[in-house]
Amino acid sequence: MENDKKKIAAVALSGGIDSSATALILQQQGYEVIGITGKMVKTSAAETICENAQKVADKLNIKLHILDVSDKFQKTVIDYFENSYKNGQTPNPCIVCNQFIKWGEIFNYAINNLGADIFATGHYANIKYENGIYKLYPAKDEHKDQLYFLYRLGQKELSKTVFPLSKYEKSQVRQIAQDYDLPTKSSKESQDICFIQKPNTTKKYLINKFGNMPGDFIEISTGKKLGTHSGHYQYTIGQRKGIGIAAPYPLYVIDIDAEKNIVYLGKKEDDLRHNLVIEDLNFSYPISEKEFDAMVKIRYNMQAKKAHIKVIEDKAEISFYETANSITPGQAGVMYDINDGHLIGGGRVIY
């Protein structure tokens, strides 16, 4: 480091392989590393996460702070998750957690309370400082790229954040964990929804929450009743498996009317659209143009498609040049620069 005093790097330790490798890499770069683990829920699984993080901290000989954020997590993530399904939408809890918990409660604690110079996580993304602006670029490991989940971050967060794994493949990170005998070296990929632990599933969780709500399956093209279901909240747009209705062609969930508890079904072509609208926009940096072309994702695991964007106040109209399937209210519509792939911003799909 430039000065005699080491710079402080606060690492969000999740008890997994990526965050523990992040802490090790920063330690090797000469930072004074401190760990912060957010206790999201009051369960035995959350206690295990804290214990695993402590093992990593002990191995690296760093101090670990356990931050109980369970009340905030309940209000901003779990309540949002449940209400989205109740209202016929499909939520993305990781994006909301990143905004309000990781780069909310934990980030603020790291910078303001612990005096950290930088905040680090095990995300696979790359921050570059160009012409006075911090921009998010894809990481080296294209299979692990996580920009989609980070679109709520702005200049304040990006200016104090580093992603040490941006230059590594996942296999290299696993090798680092093996070489340095990190306690997490054999850990598996973390599951998508941290507050729903196996063998529980999202469907079982929601059934336990909302119970049996008998409703109709309606064919969207004819209005004909095709059968009954036990709750619209168990379905998401574009879903094909688990519908349980016999038909001469594959059936897909095309639309959900939460108020009437109706799930509309149709053919694959009924699921294709050119246009959508996103609201609650967030841009990674200030933009001047209100109309532009960009590459857009409407779910994490899709290939980005070229689209025309028209920004109108806090909403944006997105028009794909080719049709897209499963445009799902509640999910994120995320925009990337058409030339170099950096993250522009995004919003929540409303229709």
Side-chain angles (χ1 to χ4, degrees):
M1 312 306 300
E2 292 178 5
N3 305 321
D4 292 338
K5 185 182 178 184
K6 288 184 176 182
K7 285 191 175 181
I8 299 172
V11 178
L13 283 180
S14 65
I17 191 169
D18 292 329
S19 62
S20 55
T22 294
L24 172 67
I25 291 166
L26 288 172
Q27 195 176 53
Q28 291 176 337
Q29 290 176 359
Y31 285 95
E32 178 188 338
V33 175
I34 50 179
I36 311 180
T37 298
K39 189 176 180 182
M40 309 299 187
V41 288
K42 292 180 171 71
T43 64
S44 59
E47 293 293 344
T48 300
I49 287 171
C50 294
E51 289 166 8
N52 290 341
Q54 188 62 60
K55 290 175 185 175
V56 173
D58 291 343
K59 173 70 177 180
L60 298 177
N61 196 26
I62 63 174
K63 185 171 177 57
L64 177 69
H65 298 262
I66 305 289
L67 198 59
D68 188 336
V69 293
S70 55
D71 289 344
K72 181 87 175 212
F73 190 82
Q74 176 70 47
K75 292 173 185 173
T76 59
V77 181
I78 297 178
D79 288 354
Y80 146 80
F81 175 83
E82 294 173 352
N83 289 333
S84 294
Y85 277 108
K86 184 180 179 181
N87 295 326
Q89 299 186 337
T90 303
N92 208 312
C94 292
I95 291 173
V96 175
C97 179
N98 282 338
Q99 179 183 4
F100 292 107
I101 305 300
K102 287 177 184 167
W103 276 272
E105 298 292 305
I106 298 175
F107 174 88
N108 291 334
Y109 186 81
I111 303 300
N112 300 328
N113 294 67
L114 301 181
D117 297 288
I118 58 169
F119 177 71
T121 72
H123 283 85
Y124 288 78
N126 189 17
I127 300 173
K128 295 182 182 179
Y129 186 63
E130 300 172 338
N131 301 318
I133 293 172
Y134 293 91
K135 292 182 179 180
L136 270 166
Y137 283 84
K140 179 182 177 182
D141 192 334
E142 59 184 27
H143 301 294
K144 287 290 295 177
D145 178 62
Q146 292 173 308
L147 295 192
Y148 182 84
F149 298 108
L150 301 171
Y151 85 85
R152 301 298 305 177
L153 305 189
Q155 292 296 293
K156 172 192 164 188
E157 293 80 20
L158 295 176
S159 68
K160 293 281 189 177
T161 299
V162 295
F163 296 121
L165 302 189
S166 64
K167 299 174 177 62
Y168 295 89
E169 302 279 353
K170 178 72 180 196
S171 58
Q172 293 174 301
V173 174
R174 288 201 175 280
Q175 191 59 53
I176 288 170
Q178 290 287 342
D179 292 344
Y180 289 90
D181 195 31
L182 294 178
T184 53
K185 64 184 179 182
S186 301
S187 64
K188 299 177 181 177
E189 290 285 331
S190 58
Q191 55 196 87
D192 289 338
I193 302 174
C194 65
F195 55 89
I196 300 178
Q197 296 293 321
K198 292 179 180 178
N200 202 6
T201 63
T202 298
K203 185 173 182 178
K204 289 177 183 176
Y205 178 95
L206 293 170
I207 290 172
N208 186 56
K209 176 69 180 179
F210 299 120
N212 192 35
M213 295 172 59
D216 294 334
F217 282 123
I218 302 291
E219 187 172 41
I220 196 159
S221 60
T222 64
K224 177 185 173 184
K225 180 177 173 179
L226 299 178
T228 58
H229 58 77
S230 57
H232 70 268
Y233 60 83
Q234 298 175 44
Y235 302 91
T236 185
I237 290 174
Q239 180 177 335
R240 178 183 170 188
K241 295 180 179 178
I243 294 172
I245 299 289
Y249 51 83
L251 289 171
Y252 294 80
V253 175
I254 306 300
D255 199 6
I256 297 169
D257 186 331
E259 200 171 318
K260 296 180 180 177
N261 195 24
I262 294 173
V263 177
Y264 290 95
L265 305 177
K267 299 178 181 179
K268 189 173 184 178
E269 52 264 36
D270 295 323
D271 189 37
L272 300 175
R273 281 170 47 195
H274 278 282
N275 305 309
L276 68 143
V277 174
I278 57 175
E279 67 176 0
D280 192 21
L281 293 181
N282 186 76
F283 293 100
S284 297
Y285 54 89
I287 65 163
S288 54
E289 295 181 11
K290 298 301 180 184
E291 282 200 53
F292 54 91
D293 281 352
M295 302 302 290
V296 174
K297 281 187 178 186
I298 52 171
R299 57 189 168 277
Y300 168 62
N301 59 357
M302 75 173 279
Q303 189 74 33
K305 289 176 173 278
K306 184 180 177 182
H308 185 71
I309 317 297
K310 187 176 182 181
V311 179
I312 305 168
E313 296 180 353
D314 72 333
K315 293 183 175 67
E317 296 174 354
I318 298 176
S319 302
F320 286 110
Y321 285 91
E322 297 177 0
T323 54
N325 68 301
S326 306
I327 294 174
T328 308
Q331 286 287 287
V334 179
M335 302 167 283
Y336 306 82
D337 185 84
I338 205 158
N339 297 310
D340 63 13
H342 77 260
L343 181 70
I344 298 172
R348 186 175 58 254
V349 177
I350 52 175
Y351 58 82

